[in-house]
Amino acid sequence: MTTPLETAPGVRPRRLWSVRPRSDRESGDAVASNFALHWFPARSFRRSLDWNYSFWLGTISAALFLLLILSGIPLMFLHIPSVERAYLSVKDIEYVVTFGSWIRAVHRLSAHLMVAVVFLHLVRVFLTGAYKNGHGRAQHREWNWVIGVAMLVSTLFLSFTGYLLPWDQLAFWAVTVGTNIAAAIPVIGPSVRELLIGGRNIDQPTLLRFYVLHIVFLPGLLGVLFAYHMWRVRKDGGLARADQVGLAAKRVEQPPSPNKTYSLLGIARGTGPTVRATTLQAPDELVNSVPDLVRRIAIVVLGTIASLSVLAVFVRSPLEEPANPLVTPNPAKAPWYFLWLQELVASTTVRVGSFAVSGGFVGGILVPGVLLLLAAAWPFLDRTPVSAEGRWFARPRRRQNLVFSLVALGIVALILLSMYCRGPSWGFYWPWQPWPQPPTSL
């Protein structure tokens, strides 16, 4: 609906004023009046919008989560969570439903890429020290880091629960290996696994539980965590790089404003004793969120959707034979993001005579548990100065960044080792080395 001012002669219509404002006033009004844009502050720090600081990994993660929802809705209506019909329904999606194979490929690629991008996002936050509080008031960036770690764990389980739904050999045995790791927890391990799969064997209760967790509980939990995460970023003053602007800004004394007071003798003019103040000024570092921030977000989101849409045309989702508990593939591997745990389980299993060290406990529970607790607690233990916050490769953070990088690269190396160099009976084979053929009976 247009106003008389907009239709007056000589006045240009303002149909796109909320995304293409003509003044600072219109830019601020766009944020205040537009429901979608109300998420953003009226003005943002220019350095926070640089492509080479955050690489916009958080926005890419949000775009992938959006793609998972959009592509998962039609799959939810077409998939039948039954051990008798799940495989056939996925096969229909792949070969019968129009664009079904493409939708499934988009969903699968988005799930795998979201795990990788969320992991890289946390790596970026750690290496730049962005979890530390700056000079702003009421900042709680360390808690937002904890929320980020929880979002990574939720993303892993969201992808893991969806792994079983095709009910083929790849899915069945990958989930079998993954849930067996949970059974290595001391005392309560078997009970945890039984609670997770709904019994002692992976069967109909397992498929139904994973289906409900995948389409209802975990997406809802991740959505709540994401909303709080973004609200916390806004309350903390934006990205941590903005605090460096505040530290470098010049402190300018504000001139006192004249005032007047009324007394029995008349009007007394002058300045009050409490009106003098100083302020940090960095006007050159601020830009309007509309259109500068919104334009970059649109580029990242649309670019992610376009890239996944094209990639899904060439990379199809695998679908092996129907799940068969009686035929065990050799090797049976967990989903790729849990392969580092499977490698640790195999490497830490030690037997000395009658004494045995459980690799399932050491590599599957103890090591990842310690790493997860350290990751969540580290912002509260870090004592590096505020000057190192929001900076790549800051000198005071050199040692802890080195240790963190080695751990992250070690996890990636174990994943690649298990993916490409582990063959039958979990033996080591180079990628170009053929696997031995199983003997055939005459």
Side-chain angles (χ1 to χ4, degrees), residues 47 98 424:
R47 298 185 191 178
T98 304

Side-chain angles (χ1 to χ4, degrees), residues 61-405:
S61 303
L64 292 172
F65 186 50
L66 175 63
L67 265 179
L68 281 172
I69 295 174
L70 294 179
S71 60
I73 290 175
L75 296 178
M76 177 183 65
F77 286 106
L78 296 170
H79 183 269
I80 302 174
S82 167
V83 294
E84 294 83 10
R85 304 181 63 184
Y87 179 81
L88 295 178
S89 65
V90 174
K91 195 171 183 178
D92 287 341
I93 293 172
E94 191 71 25
Y95 298 104
V96 178
V97 176
T98 304
F99 295 112
S101 61
W102 177 77
I103 295 174
R104 183 167 173 254
V106 169
H107 193 75
R108 176 176 174 271
L109 290 173
S110 299
H112 291 329
L113 285 177
M114 186 174 174
V115 172
V117 172
V118 172
F119 174 75
L120 292 176
H121 180 52
L122 259 72
V123 170
R124 194 278 304 172
V125 172
F126 189 95
L127 294 181
T128 57
Y131 54 77
K132 292 183 61 64
N133 295 323
H135 66 278
R137 299 178 58 187
Q139 288 186 343
H140 296 287
R141 287 203 172 100
E142 69 278 2
W143 288 111
N144 214 11
W145 165 266
V146 176
I147 293 297
V149 174
M151 292 174 66
L152 174 61
V153 175
S154 301
T155 302
L156 290 171
F157 280 101
L158 180 62
S159 184
F160 180 66
T161 52
Y163 216 87
L164 182 65
L165 301 187
W167 202 251
D168 62 348
Q169 280 286 80
L170 175 65
F172 182 89
W173 289 102
V175 172
T176 300
V177 173
T179 54
N180 283 340
I181 295 177
I185 302 176
V187 183
I188 62 173
S191 300
V192 171
R193 182 180 184 274
E194 187 172 339
L195 178 65
L196 183 63
I197 66 176
R200 298 190 177 182
N201 300 314
I202 297 179
D203 210 331
Q204 178 62 48
T206 312
L207 180 60
L208 190 58
R209 290 191 181 202
F210 276 46
Y211 183 79
V212 174
L213 287 172
H214 186 70
I215 70 170
V216 178
F217 182 76
L218 290 175
L221 175 63
L222 194 57
V224 171
L225 291 176
F226 172 74
Y228 180 80
H229 182 72
M230 295 304 299
W231 177 80
R232 193 67 256 173
V233 170
R234 175 83 179 269
K235 294 292 289 183
D236 291 337
L239 301 184
R241 198 175 192 186
D243 289 337
Q244 295 298 324
V245 178
L247 291 173
K250 296 180 179 180
R251 187 172 295 273
V252 178
E253 183 175 351
Q254 294 292 325
S257 59
N259 54 31
K260 57 184 179 181
T261 57
Y262 296 89
S263 64
L264 295 176
L265 301 179
I267 299 176
R269 300 183 181 276
T271 59
T274 60
V275 297
R276 295 185 178 276
T278 59
T279 182
L280 292 174
Q281 289 188 355
D284 296 336
E285 295 289 345
L286 295 174
V287 295
N288 292 324
S289 296
V290 181
D292 296 86
L293 175 61
V294 174
R295 183 187 296 131
R296 285 169 171 80
I297 290 177
I299 291 173
V300 173
V301 173
L302 295 178
T304 302
I305 294 175
S307 301
L308 261 294
S309 300
V310 174
L311 187 62
V313 176
F314 302 98
V315 182
R316 299 189 60 176
S317 300
L319 185 64
E320 298 186 358
E321 297 82 6
N324 188 351
L326 301 179
V327 178
T328 305
N330 190 12
K333 295 185 179 182
W336 67 267
Y337 38 83
F338 286 151
L339 279 177
W340 68 284
L341 295 179
Q342 189 175 1
E343 184 67 33
L344 285 177
V345 169
S347 303
T348 55
T349 301
V350 179
R351 289 182 175 86
V352 180
S354 59
F355 177 77
V357 176
S358 173
F361 170 69
V362 176
I365 303 300
L366 183 61
V367 174
V370 170
L371 292 178
L372 192 62
L373 288 176
L374 279 177
W378 192 255
F380 304 95
L381 305 175
D382 190 355
R383 293 294 182 266
T384 53
V386 178
S387 59
E389 175 205 6
R391 292 171 49 197
W392 280 99
F393 310 116
R395 184 174 294 274
R397 297 181 48 82
R398 182 168 52 188
R399 181 176 301 175
Q400 59 180 300
N401 281 348
L402 177 61
V403 173
F404 181 85
S405 300

Side-chain angles (χ1 to χ4, degrees), residues 32-47:
S33 60
N34 189 297
F35 176 78
L37 301 180
H38 198 68
W39 188 280
F40 309 108
R43 294 175 68 79
S44 303
F45 284 94
R46 186 190 305 273
R47 298 185 191 178

Side-chain angles (χ1 to χ4, degrees), residues 406-423:
L406 291 177
V407 172
L409 290 175
I411 292 174
V412 174
L414 290 177
I415 291 175
L416 295 177
L417 173 66
S418 300
M419 287 180 63
Y420 300 108
C421 299
R422 288 301 184 183

